Amino acid sequence: KQWYQRRVRDMSTDLTKKGWNLAVLQFPAGIHIALTRRHMAPGVIDELLSDIRESAALQMSKPHEKATGAAAMYGMAAQIPDRSIVDDIAKEFWKLYYSTNDRN
């Protein structure tokens, strides 16, 4: 299960690097693909499917490699036993991010 989750996240990173904007799902690990009118242009769907196949093959070839970047962050967050703290941390982050207080 952990192998699959890590590879799905790394696959999302691979596809993002290729220019695809995909949403990563956490429970269960997955990638959400939304198709729009722009995807109907000639060759775009074929390119997406080709990139998905290429990325899947790459991930299947390295089942024991550790996750890096965003994939590692998602993996770490998925392992937190008390899910309520994730919400608290996210709220605090956004509160600070949008704060208008001058800290200087």
Side-chain angles (χ1 to χ4, degrees), residues 8-9 11-25 30-35 39 48 51-52 55 74:
V8 166
R9 292 182 197 104
M11 189 172 164
S12 173
T13 300
D14 289 346
L15 292 168
T16 298
K17 288 177 183 176
K18 292 178 183 225
W20 301 107
N21 185 9
L22 308 171
V24 179
L25 306 175
I31 299 171
H32 178 84
I33 300 172
L35 300 177
H39 294 98
L48 173 60
D51 287 346
I52 289 171
S55 182
Y74 275 102

Side-chain angles (χ1 to χ4, degrees), residues 1-101:
K1 182 178 177 183
Q2 288 181 349
W3 172 87
Y4 164 78
Q5 291 174 344
R6 185 173 60 247
R7 297 286 60 97
V8 166
R9 292 182 197 104
D10 282 343
M11 189 172 164
S12 173
T13 300
D14 289 346
L15 292 168
T16 298
K17 288 177 183 176
K18 292 178 183 225
W20 301 107
N21 185 9
L22 308 171
V24 179
L25 306 175
Q26 196 169 29
F27 294 109
I31 299 171
H32 178 84
I33 300 172
L35 300 177
T36 66
R37 186 176 182 156
R38 294 184 71 158
H39 294 98
M40 299 305 119
V44 174
I45 293 294
D46 291 333
E47 183 180 352
L48 173 60
L49 293 174
S50 175
D51 287 346
I52 289 171
R53 285 185 195 102
E54 183 180 309
S55 182
L58 174 65
Q59 296 309 318
M60 297 288 283
S61 74
K62 54 181 186 177
H64 302 294
E65 187 174 301
K66 292 191 182 245
T68 60
M73 181 194 68
Y74 275 102
M76 180 187 67
Q79 301 303 315
I80 297 173
D82 180 1
R83 303 295 309 149
S84 67
I85 68 169
V86 174
D87 188 50
D88 293 340
I89 292 168
K91 284 179 184 175
E92 191 62 28
F93 170 82
W94 289 114
K95 185 170 79 176
L96 292 170
Y97 183 82
Y98 286 112
S99 173
T100 57
N101 294 337

